Amino acid sequence: MIEKIDIRHMRVLLYLVREKNVSRVAERLEISQQAVSNYLKRMREVFPNELFLRQSAGLQPTDYAYDLAAKFEKIVEEIDGIFNSFPFDPATSEYVFRVIANEYAQLSIIPSLSLLMRERAPGVKLEVIDFNPDQHFTTLAQGEADLVIGFSDYVDPGLVRNRLRSDHYCCVARQGSLLPRQIQVLADVSLHPHVDFASGVGNLGSRVDDFLSARDVSRTVIATLPCYTSLQAFMHVNDTVAFVPSAIAATGGFQVIDLDMSSLNFNVVVGWHRRASGSASRDWLVQVIAGLHTSS
């Protein structure tokens, strides 16, 4: 009966044990929910013990399912390792790279990376996954993404990491604003309204506040936005200043106010799990990213 089980069945079981939800597994594997149910039905016919118990919150794996998943994971890793050892030909490949990226990387790195990838490998595709500080290590460890790009403060130190670039914060106003003429020194920012950003992995916590407080500079925050993406639209209506990474300011629509904020800096890294060591496709992508950094 075991000949009725192939690698696809194994992947479905692994995902079901992790996600405990048929619809999420279908989305992850890009197949229909009915296909997932069919795979599960076949496995129930083959194996002698119950695999999952249905609950209101989803599927609850049995101890037998957990044991089976541990065995399947070793098999899947061995098979993935075989394919990873094959050469990667960017000219003919149709590989889909899955890159975890924070908002900073999505705005300032991913667009140019996509362009360079298309120039060197016209058949490959890029899928971008939002950075999650609690999940990115597991996602990479399970082979569900190729690498991560983000702030070194938040990218898990257990990953293999290469520094991609250093950047710093700067003060910006909208295009056409008169504020840059009125702000000659850092203390002048206290005289004008500010936009702030929600604390978290997107803006490196309270670094801006700490930087200003250490210099006895106060500010009047009239709005706190969830992300940098909405800043340009907000400033189009409101004449304010904001502190953003210089690479975000360079994406367009802003005037950079001439203030020395180079000491308010941070590092951006690219990282991957050790399980991907030896992957020709991942090695190629890292080289492309390094080339992007060199060209910039």
Side-chain angles (χ1 to χ4, degrees):
M1 292 290 286
I2 193 62
E3 64 270 15
K4 295 182 179 180
I5 299 297
D6 58 24
I7 187 66
R8 196 66 170 175
H9 291 86
M10 296 182 187
R11 291 192 190 279
V12 168
L13 180 75
L14 287 173
Y15 275 94
L16 283 171
V17 167
R18 294 168 190 158
E19 301 289 346
K20 302 177 180 62
N21 183 282
V22 170
S23 62
R24 285 202 297 268
V25 172
E27 182 179 351
R28 290 276 194 175
L29 294 176
E30 299 181 347
I31 59 179
S32 67
Q33 294 185 37
Q34 184 59 49
V36 174
S37 297
N38 289 340
Y39 281 116
L40 181 56
K41 179 181 178 182
R42 174 62 59 87
M43 287 186 287
R44 281 172 169 158
E45 293 172 353
V46 170
F47 295 106
N49 298 310
E50 189 69 42
L51 297 174
F52 298 92
L53 303 177
R54 293 195 177 276
Q55 297 183 343
S56 58
L59 297 176
Q60 175 59 48
T62 63
D63 290 345
Y64 183 78
Y66 280 117
D67 291 341
L68 199 59
K71 297 176 181 178
F72 280 179
E73 188 167 21
K74 294 178 181 179
I75 296 172
V76 170
E77 285 182 357
E78 288 291 330
I79 293 176
D80 287 344
I82 292 173
F83 285 102
N84 284 340
S85 66
F86 286 125
F88 175 77
D89 182 4
T92 60
S93 176
E94 296 182 350
Y95 187 80
V96 178
F97 285 102
R98 305 186 78 230
V99 175
I100 303 170
N102 67 356
E103 186 194 17
Y104 173 95
Q106 291 178 33
L107 291 173
S108 66
I109 295 175
I110 293 297
S112 297
L113 174 60
S114 177
L115 177 62
L116 194 57
M117 288 173 62
R118 292 203 318 272
E119 291 174 352
R120 299 185 181 183
V124 304
K125 296 179 178 61
L126 178 63
E127 180 180 340
V128 180
I129 306 168
D130 271 332
F131 178 83
N132 184 318
D134 300 320
Q135 294 293 328
H136 69 281
F137 182 91
T138 301
T139 300
L140 291 166
Q142 294 175 348
E144 297 171 12
D146 296 281
L147 53 79
V148 58
I149 303 175
F151 299 140
S152 61
D153 292 37
Y154 295 105
V155 172
D156 196 290
L159 299 172
V160 181
R161 309 194 320 172
N162 287 346
R163 188 170 69 85
L164 182 56
R165 63 165 63 156
S166 293
D167 200 353
H168 64 275
Y169 277 83
C170 62
C171 186
V172 299
R174 71 185 184 191
Q175 289 289 354
S177 173
L178 297 179
L179 292 179
R181 300 181 186 179
Q182 301 169 14
I183 299 175
Q184 301 298 316
V185 295
L186 185 62
D188 291 341
V189 301
S190 300
L191 304 175
H192 304 283
H194 288 241
V195 178
D196 199 7
F197 301 93
S199 181
V201 298
N203 68 336
L204 294 171
S206 60
R207 284 195 180 185
V208 170
D209 286 332
D210 294 342
F211 176 85
L212 296 176
S213 296
R215 291 156 180 81
D216 295 322
V217 176
S218 61
R219 59 176 175 162
T220 301
V221 175
I222 64 169
T224 300
L225 303 180
C227 59
Y228 298 124
T229 309
S230 55
L231 178 61
Q232 189 171 345
F234 185 89
M235 280 188 163
H236 182 71
V237 178
N238 299 275
D239 198 16
T240 63
V241 297
F243 292 98
V244 301
S246 66
I248 302 298
T251 59
F254 305 108
Q255 292 185 78
V256 176
I257 300 174
D258 187 16
L259 298 172
D260 182 12
M261 300 185 63
S262 58
S263 61
L264 187 53
N265 54 24
F266 57 89
N267 289 325
V268 181
V269 299
V270 56
W272 59 92
H273 195 271
R274 285 175 172 78
R275 74 181 300 280
S277 298
S279 166
S281 59
R282 196 269 310 155
D283 289 344
W284 177 85
L285 183 57
V286 171
Q287 290 174 3
V288 172
I289 294 173
L292 176 68
H293 175 56
T294 300
S295 63
S296 62

